Structures are given as structure tokens and as C-alpha cells.
Amino acid sequence: MFLTKRFYIILACLTLLAGFGYVFPQLFMGAKILLLIFAVLVVVDAVMLYHRRGITAKRTCSERFSNGDKNVVKINLESQYSFPVRLTVIDEAPEVFQRRDISYPSHLAERGRNVIRYTLTPVKRGTYSFGRIRCFARTITGLVERRYTFGSAEDVKVYPSYLMLNRYEFLAMSNNLTEMGIKRIRRVGNNTEFEQIKDYVQGDDYRTINWKASARRNQLMVNVYRDERSQQIFSVIDKGRVMQQSFRGMTLLDYSINASLVLSYVAMHRDDKAGLITFADKMDTFIAPSRRTGQMQNLLEALYAQETDFGETDFSGLCANVHKQVSKRSLFIVYTNFSGMTALNRQLAYLKLLSQWHRVLVVFFEDAEMNDYIHSPKHSTEEYYQHVIAEKFAYEKRLIVSTLRQHGIYSVLTTPDKLSVDVINKYLEMKQRQILT
């Protein structure tokens, strides 16, 4: 049994009243009567709460959480008491969230029900452990509380952002991908994969007229082309120390993992085959490209436990393994990061070698916080100096894009929060312009 704050306030007031009774005797008798009434109320309050087990609570949440997204947790409450009760519900959330505010007041009517909802946003993949649910029940009098403990320790796995994947899937079905920032790319020229011959109608490109078929049918016939299909798209994720940099609590590795999942879904939706490579000092994950049922689940499971290390990334080992295991010309989307031209020059030779065998798209990151600092006001000589240094780093990022372009390597320079949209837009642009192979 727990005594509430109201109990102690009333008891303190009665004690003061009894103390004044030594000065004003008429108050002493009133204090004794009120104390007796107070004691009876406390006993009645305790009996009402403890005469039966009247509260049940159950936590409901997904078996796995989506990294970087708001995941909903529900606590279902039910009362068996024949009178209204007030509750304070405390859920023991995983320690990694460092939440000290998961304490919710609630009110249950006679034999009533209620649902408490809150959200948790993980920023790191792994296994998180929930504790138990603590409910403190009290009557309207509120002098005594009864504690209820429900549930048991429960583990939840945090996977790469599958909620983002679900949003893209829903918008793709409703043809509203532009709501996520995906651009409609204008077609340039004709697609190269022949589909059928059909009658000419006004608006068809005259360059697609099939003159032989037109002569046989004695009317204009045109060739119909479609996007090339079954192209191999590899998401190549660097797990070296350069990917440990964080933005809004999530590492660049986690942003890259989320983006690669969404891109793989879009590629498979476009009839391409999606594969995965992760590497650091050596290549440790290789999933052959496919568009079969279950491929997305394979990618999700493979990315679940990926972690960065403190070693230097070995692009030479990547090239050697790719040359052995990938024979068909493919698109390699390499998620990495370069701090400046010096970092690029160490890996440029290997990127050039990789681009001789395959089409390469290098994705690396702008420092969003540094960009904000560059555009902030300057008030002193020291701040001007610091802004010049920051602008030099930003210029080197743009110089990296230019250098890669000079060597026939495509690139995307983006901030982590815009990564998924920018990479998908670049993929769609390359596909429509027939430069994937």
C-alpha cells in the first residue's frame, strides 16, 4: 500500500490544527474529530482498492521496430472495479531511449477500458528490452494507492526502416510517389527493349515507325519499346570509420542502410534485380541480385546486424571480389563518405577500375550542420576565419563531384535526411536515359 501526496498534505494540516489546539483549546477537539474521520476514510479507501484485483494492463507493440521512425506502443487498460479509479501508468521502456517521462495519468470509469498510446524513435539497430508495466490505482478520495505490476521483460528487435519502405509501397500503388519528392523524369529518346508492334495513332513518335510492317499491312505500324528489365542493381555499403559520423542521432551507416532498402524495393518494382554488398577492410556480405519473392526479407535480415568498425576501408579488396563474383555488367551504388580530396585520391584508382567493368554511382554526404554554420551570421574576425575554413570543406565536396564526373563516375552529394529521395531520383534518371549498362 502506498500513501499519496494528498494523504500527507491532509495529515500535515490536521497536525497543525492540533498544534494550534494548545493555544486555542476549542480547536483541539475539532482536530481529534477530523483525524478520526480521516482515519476512517483511509481505511475505507484501502478496503475499496484491496478487496479484489481490479486492474489489468497489457502492452501491445510491433515485434520489431523500424529504425529512425516513430513506432507506436499501446497500453490497454481495463478495470473490474465497481467505482471509477484514477491511474498513474509507468512503462519501463528500454534504457537506450533514456526516457524519464513515460508516466501517464489515466481515468477508468466503472468497469471501463482505456488505451494509452506513445511513440519511441530508435536511432540504432539491435535488440531493445522492455521492462514491466507499473500501475498505481487510487479512488476519487485519493488517499491510498495500490500498485499493480503487469507483464514481463520483453525484447524487441530494431530493424532498418521498413516503415519508410511501406510508405513508398503505398504511394507507388496509388501513383503518388511525387509526394515523397520523387521526380517524374522526362524520357529522352526510345527505350531499348522491344515489346510489340501496334497501329500508329496520332502522337506516336514517327521515328518508331516500322516500315516493313507498314508495307505488309498497308497502314502505318510502330514499334513499342519498354524500359529495360532485369538489370542488376547492387547496393554497396561502406562500413568503415567514415560512416560512423552521426546526424540527428543516427549514423551515416544507418541512413545508407535505410536508403538501400527503399532503393532495392523501387528497383524490384521496376523489374530490376536488387543485390547487396557490405565491406570494410574486407567484403563480408554478398547477396546475389534477384527479384524473387523473399528477396526484400533477405536484404532486411542481412542489414539488421551491420555495424561500422574503426578500420580503413579497403576498396582494392572490393574490386577483387566484385571481379570474381559479378560477371554481368551492373549498376553499383556505393554508399561511402569523403572528407576531402585527399580521401578521394586514395580510393579514386579503385573506383575507376570498378567503373571499367560496371556502371558506378558514388553516394556521399554533405555536412548539414556545417552548411547551416556557413549561412549563419558572422560577428568577429575569428568567426570570419572559421567560416572560410568551413566553406573550404564545402568546396572540396563539390570538387569531388566534379572529379568523379571527369572520370566517368556518377555521383550524388546529399544530406542524410534527403538521401533516399535523391538516390531514387538519380536511379530513375539513369534508367530513363539508358545509362545503367
Side-chain angles (χ1 to χ4, degrees):
M1 185 173 70
F2 294 84
L3 302 177
T4 65
K5 183 178 179 180
R6 181 180 296 180
F7 172 90
Y8 289 107
I9 291 175
I10 294 176
L11 183 62
C13 292
L14 292 176
T15 303
L16 288 174
L17 186 62
F20 282 117
Y22 287 99
V23 181
F24 306 101
Q26 62 273 23
L27 295 179
F28 192 75
M29 182 57 66
K32 290 197 295 182
I33 294 173
L34 291 175
L35 184 60
L36 179 61
I37 295 173
F38 176 66
V40 171
L41 288 175
V42 170
V43 172
V44 171
D45 213 16
V47 171
M48 291 176 66
L49 287 173
Y50 280 87
H51 79 284
R52 64 178 302 175
R53 188 172 179 83
I55 300 294
T56 58
K58 182 180 180 181
R59 181 193 302 113
T60 304
C61 63
S62 175
E63 294 182 356
R64 58 185 186 184
F65 278 5
S66 177
N67 192 25
D69 297 313
K70 292 183 178 180
N71 299 267
V72 177
V73 180
K74 298 179 183 178
I75 300 176
N76 299 284
L77 304 170
E78 184 175 357
S79 172
Q80 299 298 327
Y81 286 121
S82 59
F83 52 85
V85 292
R86 298 182 183 277
L87 297 175
T88 299
V89 181
I90 299 175
D91 192 11
E92 296 178 350
E95 296 178 357
V96 68
F97 291 106
Q98 292 296 300
R99 291 281 297 271
R100 298 293 182 266
D101 59 345
I102 306 184
S103 175
Y104 302 99
S106 183
H107 178 271
L108 291 178
E110 175 185 346
R111 305 189 189 283
R113 297 181 179 182
N114 196 9
V115 178
I116 295 174
R117 293 178 175 84
Y118 67 93
T119 60
L120 295 174
T121 306
V123 294
K124 186 177 180 181
R125 289 162 288 106
T127 302
Y128 292 7
S129 298
F130 280 91
R132 310 183 78 179
I133 302 172
R134 315 286 181 176
C135 294
F136 295 85
R138 58 192 178 277
T139 65
I140 295 178
T141 307
L143 299 176
V144 175
E145 283 185 334
R146 179 179 179 181
R147 186 180 73 175
Y148 290 90
T149 301
F150 301 100
S152 57
E154 179 182 1
D155 290 340
V156 174
K157 291 184 177 181
V158 178
Y159 279 79
S161 181
Y162 61 85
L163 290 183
M164 180 189 295
L165 190 63
N166 292 342
R167 289 196 294 271
Y168 274 88
E169 182 176 7
F170 175 77
L171 291 173
M173 291 173 61
S174 60
N175 201 27
N176 287 327
L177 280 174
T178 51
E179 293 182 10
M180 299 290 288
I182 306 303
K183 301 175 183 177
R184 294 185 180 275
I185 305 299
R186 182 176 65 86
R187 292 174 181 250
V188 178
N190 298 315
N191 294 329
T192 57
E193 192 167 314
F194 176 79
E195 185 173 22
Q196 63 175 340
I197 300 174
K198 72 176 186 68
D199 294 337
Y200 175 87
V201 296
Q202 188 174 358
D204 284 339
D205 190 344
Y206 66 87
R207 291 174 297 181
T208 63
I209 294 177
N210 187 319
W211 295 107
K212 292 183 179 180
S214 299
R216 288 195 300 267
R217 295 287 299 274
N218 199 29
Q219 64 180 23
L220 288 178
M221 306 291 292
V222 293
N223 294 329
V224 177
Y225 298 90
R226 65 183 180 186
D227 291 334
E228 281 193 89
R229 301 182 179 183
S230 298
Q231 295 171 320
Q232 295 189 157
I233 312 297
F234 278 95
S235 294
V236 184
I237 301 177
D238 181 355
K239 301 197 306 178
R241 62 171 177 262
V242 296
M243 301 296 280
Q244 289 183 344
Q245 181 180 341
S246 62
F247 175 76
R248 294 177 182 173
M250 285 178 56
T251 64
L252 298 183
L253 175 66
D254 284 309
Y255 281 105
S256 300
I257 286 174
N258 292 346
S260 66
L261 269 179
V262 176
L263 178 70
S264 297
Y265 168 76
V266 173
M268 293 169 65
H269 190 71
R270 295 259 170 169
D271 296 318
D272 286 335
K273 298 177 180 179
L276 173 70
I277 295 174
T278 64
F279 73 106
D281 56 340
K282 60 181 180 180
M283 192 170 78
D284 56 7
T285 302
F286 180 88
I287 296 180
S290 173
R291 53 184 299 268
R292 293 177 299 179
T293 303
Q295 179 72 351
M296 287 304 303
Q297 184 62 31
N298 293 338
L299 296 175
L300 190 65
E301 292 293 340
L303 291 170
Y304 163 67
Q306 300 290 341
E307 297 291 344
T308 57
D309 58 32
F310 293 93
E312 182 73 19
T313 304
D314 184 9
F315 275 82
S316 63
L318 172 67
C319 289
N321 283 281
V322 165
H323 191 56
K324 291 178 182 177
Q325 300 188 46
V326 184
S327 57
K328 181 180 177 180
R329 187 167 174 83
S330 310
L331 171 63
F332 279 75
I333 302 177
V334 182
Y335 297 88
T336 186
N337 199 28
F338 300 112
S339 57
M341 284 300 300
T342 303
L344 172 66
N345 290 332
R346 289 200 299 268
Q347 314 296 353
L348 184 57
Y350 305 114
L351 291 173
K352 288 166 59 178
L353 181 61
L354 191 61
S355 67
Q356 292 178 9
W357 307 326
H358 305 279
R359 187 68 67 190
V360 178
L361 172 63
V362 176
V363 181
F364 63 108
F365 299 90
E366 287 184 285
D367 191 325
E369 294 176 351
M370 186 174 67
N371 288 343
D372 293 339
Y373 178 74
I374 290 174
H375 294 95
S376 64
K378 300 171 279 292
H379 303 289
S380 65
T381 303
E382 181 179 358
E383 289 183 355
Y384 274 100
Y385 176 77
Q386 292 172 346
H387 275 72
V388 170
I389 299 299
E391 289 175 357
K392 177 180 178 295
F393 282 111
Y395 168 74
E396 284 207 9
K397 293 281 188 176
R398 297 191 296 271
L399 187 59
I400 290 173
V401 174
S402 176
T403 303
L404 291 171
R405 186 186 302 117
Q406 291 174 9
H407 292 91
I409 301 171
Y410 294 87
S411 63
V412 172
L413 175 61
T414 184
T415 54
D417 55 328
K418 298 179 181 178
L419 174 62
S420 297
V421 170
D422 288 346
V423 171
I424 292 172
N425 279 329
K426 189 65 176 180
Y427 159 74
L428 294 177
E429 177 187 342
M430 295 176 70
K431 187 171 181 65
Q432 293 290 354
R433 294 178 179 169
Q434 306 170 26
I435 54 178
L436 291 189
T437 57

